[in-house]
Amino acid sequence: MTITKDSIIGDILDADRTTAEYFIAMGMHCLGCPASRGESVAQACAVHGVDPDELVAKLNAHMSGK
């Protein structure tokens, strides 16, 4: 799975639950909430003041290490 800024958080978590640590680290503690699962990476980053390109790079590095 390749993650982009448009990827939906719920889809990422469904593909690999261990990615949750990256979202929690950015202050997104509501991962079980239906609204947050439906957000894109870019939307979540905008709300939490995180650089989406940096998070996407971290997530893709994590996924490629599997």
Side-chain angles (χ1 to χ4, degrees):
M1 172 181 201
T2 300
I3 298 167
T4 69
K5 291 187 277 190
D6 295 322
S7 296
I8 302 300
I9 292 172
D11 294 341
I12 298 168
L13 292 169
D14 289 345
D16 184 348
R17 287 282 198 212
T18 65
T19 58
E21 67 185 79
Y22 295 94
F23 296 106
I24 291 169
M26 70 179 234
M28 190 173 183
H29 301 281
C30 54
L31 293 177
C33 171
S36 68
R37 287 186 53 87
E39 287 183 324
S40 70
V41 170
Q43 290 170 321
C45 286
V47 170
H48 293 279
V50 172
D51 179 356
D53 293 318
E54 185 178 321
L55 180 59
V56 166
K58 287 179 183 179
L59 290 167
N60 280 315
H62 175 82
M63 296 297 271
S64 69
K66 291 282 173 181

